[in-house]
Amino acid sequence: MKKFFALSLSISILITATLTSVALTPHGNGVLVRNWLYNDTNYTFSDGYKTSVWYHNFSQLELTENHRNNVLRIAISQLGYHEGKMGDYSGADTASSDNCTEYARIYSKNYNDYCFDWCATFVNWCLNQAHVDYAYGEMSCHRWIEDFFVPEDLYRDGKAYGGTYIPKPADIIFFDWDKTGGWSDHIGFVLYTTDTHVYTIEGNTSDNVGLKSYALSDAQVMGYGTPKYKESTEVTFDYSPSNDFVVGDYIVTDNSFNLYYEADVTSQSEKIPLGAMISCDSRSDGWIHIKYNGVSGYTQSTAMFLLQPAEIEYAETTAPVTTQAPETENNTESATTEDNPQTETEATVNTETEDIATESHETNVDSESDAVSTYDTIFDSNDSRVNDSNPTESISGTDNQHTDNRGCGSTLSVGALGVIGIGAAFIYGKKRKE
């Protein structure tokens, strides 16, 4: 009987170890930042950032087994963060254009007082917080291509340059504002792709973390890189539009968002700040029931973007899933057609709704598409350039730091606890028998 109890205990330990491996803690705040020569291994969040809604959003996240989901959730949690002045990394200074950000503080040596063009820095920060190993921690956009993605065969050209690769969620997208394909000026993350457009989330776009859209054939879209993501049977979120309401957490994307205590515009209300995380659990007659900071109420605003659905879906297979390098253009071409260019091998789940989206800022739609859905207009179009006062990111003094030394992180196998438990049960049972 005791032998059976010991064996049961060991199995429980194994199950517990397996479950706890799903939930991880985001990096930062005293946890070592890893992988890259110029990253600060003693990085902690600044006091200003820790007072912000963006820190609150980040601190509420628990990482799962799917790297792509983790990267995009972290990036989306920062929507609305604005660059500040030197010493102010709170993200709340909407009047500043000094390029000072919390994300730059991940670099050591206090480079340029943490004030420099920060699109690549934002990508670096999100990858690091998502525990993505072997990504390339760079300030320079183009060196990501030259020093990491091309040598690792992880880079694919954009459609304007003969490429046929269809980007996937959390791929890194590279831009060349000169439309020559010669040097990348800007990067961001892919959210999703349609037949004609790619939708992104980017740092340092109009001085913010914001949402954008581009025609796949736009010559500004230079190409795509795929970090060495580890994936699992957890389904990758699909942020493309759906007619179904999605229960989950959303990020407020406008500073005039109202929470009404009753489903009536004449009832008492309060403002919810830009960037705040809210929970949406139902929709009826045009009203969405939301919860924010311990308060329940209603809204009719569409100025919100899905952060994460309430439930995570898993594929049926139990076989391990790993991310492969981007398909070669010949393979991609044979696997897709012009009529249906979005054929993909990885599973996705629709998690966005056409009625719940960010405020429209798009003023022009590429002529490639005769009809673009209403949802497309929630993203800033590619006509709104990065940094209104400085449309291209510097490739000189403040944008040329790079490293040739890419380290690797280590992973602790929590399943070892279960093995230890089984071994203990075996020894205990044998000893009792003797």
Side-chain angles (χ1 to χ4, degrees):
M1 183 68 179
K2 291 183 177 180
K3 180 178 180 181
F4 175 79
F5 173 78
L7 182 59
S8 300
L9 178 62
S10 68
I11 293 173
S12 298
I13 293 174
L14 178 61
I15 293 174
T16 302
T18 301
L19 291 177
T20 55
S21 68
V22 174
L24 304 175
T25 302
H27 275 205
N29 207 21
V31 180
L32 292 183
V33 175
R34 55 189 183 175
N35 301 330
W36 305 306
L37 179 64
Y38 291 109
N39 280 2
D40 183 1
T41 56
N42 296 313
Y43 167 66
T44 60
F45 296 121
S46 66
D47 291 339
Y49 181 72
K50 288 172 69 174
T51 65
S52 71
V53 294
W54 298 282
Y55 170 77
H56 174 78
N57 297 345
F58 176 82
S59 66
Q60 300 304 303
L61 298 178
E62 285 191 339
L63 303 189
T64 67
E65 296 176 330
N66 188 314
H67 271 173
R68 291 181 185 269
N69 286 346
N70 292 338
V71 166
L72 290 183
R73 286 161 62 240
I74 289 171
I76 293 168
S77 76
Q78 304 301 294
L79 272 174
Y81 179 96
H82 197 282
E83 63 188 48
K85 293 181 173 62
M86 187 182 301
D88 180 6
Y89 313 113
S90 66
D93 184 0
T94 58
S96 174
S97 58
D98 290 349
N99 282 321
C100 305
T101 66
E102 172 68 25
Y103 315 119
R105 297 182 62 258
I106 200 171
Y107 294 119
S108 61
K109 302 181 181 179
N110 190 18
Y111 185 73
N112 205 36
D113 295 312
Y114 309 122
C115 304
F116 49 86
D117 293 332
W118 52 281
C119 63
T121 296
F122 177 69
V123 169
N124 179 20
W125 189 87
C126 292
L127 289 171
N128 199 283
Q129 302 304 328
H131 299 200
V132 177
D133 292 330
Y134 313 115
Y136 191 60
E138 250 296 345
M139 295 180 187
S140 166
C141 304
H142 196 75
R143 292 194 184 278
W144 287 67
I145 299 174
E146 287 188 340
D147 295 355
F148 179 68
F149 286 119
V150 168
E152 297 285 345
D153 193 29
L154 297 172
Y155 180 78
R156 295 294 177 263
D157 288 325
K159 188 173 182 180
Y161 303 99
T164 56
Y165 174 70
I166 304 301
K168 297 178 174 61
D171 279 356
I172 296 177
I173 183 170
F174 292 86
F175 301 92
D176 175 16
W177 302 139
D178 295 330
K179 301 184 179 183
T180 64
W183 188 275
S184 177
D185 302 302
H186 182 66
I187 66 177
F189 288 114
V190 173
L191 276 174
Y192 68 92
T193 307
T194 66
D195 289 353
T196 59
H197 284 69
V198 57
Y199 294 79
T200 64
I201 181 168
E202 306 164 21
N204 201 26
T205 177
S206 299
D207 301 333
N208 291 281
V209 175
L211 304 172
K212 304 284 284 189
S213 67
Y214 307 83
L216 287 170
S217 60
D218 193 326
Q220 292 180 132
V221 179
M222 186 174 172
Y224 310 93
T226 302
K228 294 182 178 179
Y229 290 135
K230 296 177 183 177
E231 296 183 5
S232 68
T233 55
E234 178 187 322
V235 175
T236 301
F237 302 159
D238 181 4
Y239 286 99
S240 59
S242 167
N243 291 325
D244 299 325
F245 172 75
V246 178
V247 175
D249 297 323
Y250 290 75
I251 300 297
V252 173
T253 59
D254 190 270
N255 56 13
S256 59
F257 191 98
N258 288 315
L259 178 151
Y260 294 93
Y261 295 137
E262 304 292 339
D264 185 341
V265 293
T266 63
S267 68
Q268 186 178 356
S269 66
E270 63 178 88
K271 296 285 186 184
I272 297 181
L274 170 70
M277 181 192 300
I278 60 175
S279 296
C280 302
D281 56 23
S282 64
R283 181 177 64 183
S284 177
D285 297 327
W287 286 94
I288 302 165
H289 186 257
I290 62 177
K291 296 178 181 178
Y292 168 70
N293 201 24
V295 177
S296 294
Y298 299 85
T299 189
Q300 288 184 318
S301 176
T302 59
M304 61 180 83
F305 191 81
L306 182 69
L307 172 66
Q308 57 190 359
E311 296 184 3
I312 298 174
E313 295 189 20
Y314 289 85
E316 293 182 0
T317 177
T318 57
V321 178
T322 58
T323 300
Q324 303 297 322
E327 300 169 350
T328 62
E329 293 175 0
N330 288 338
N331 289 343
T332 304
E333 192 170 355
S334 63
T336 62
T337 66
E338 194 65 29
D339 293 333
N340 185 22
Q342 285 200 96
T343 302
E344 295 182 5
T345 57
E346 71 176 28
T348 57
V349 55
N350 283 337
T351 57
E352 189 52 272
T353 167
E354 195 163 346
D355 294 328
I356 300 179
T358 57
E359 181 183 9
S360 170
H361 296 290
E362 185 168 9
T363 58
N364 189 23
V365 177
D366 192 274
S367 58
E368 180 191 21
S369 174
D370 293 330
V372 179
S373 71
T374 303
Y375 185 78
D376 290 343
T377 64
I378 70 171
F379 287 78
D380 288 338
S381 73
N382 56 315
D383 291 314
S384 176
R385 295 296 188 87
V386 174
N387 284 343
D388 292 340
S389 60
N390 181 14
T392 60
E393 292 203 342
S394 170
I395 58 175
S396 57
T398 61
D399 198 25
N400 61 1
Q401 180 174 344
H402 66 284
T403 172
D404 294 321
N405 183 3
R406 294 183 293 276
C408 58
S410 60
T411 304
L412 174 64
S413 174
V414 293
L417 293 174
V419 174
I420 292 172
I422 293 174
F426 176 78
I427 293 171
Y428 178 82
K430 183 177 180 181
K431 187 172 181 180
R432 290 289 301 171
K433 185 176 181 179
E434 292 175 350

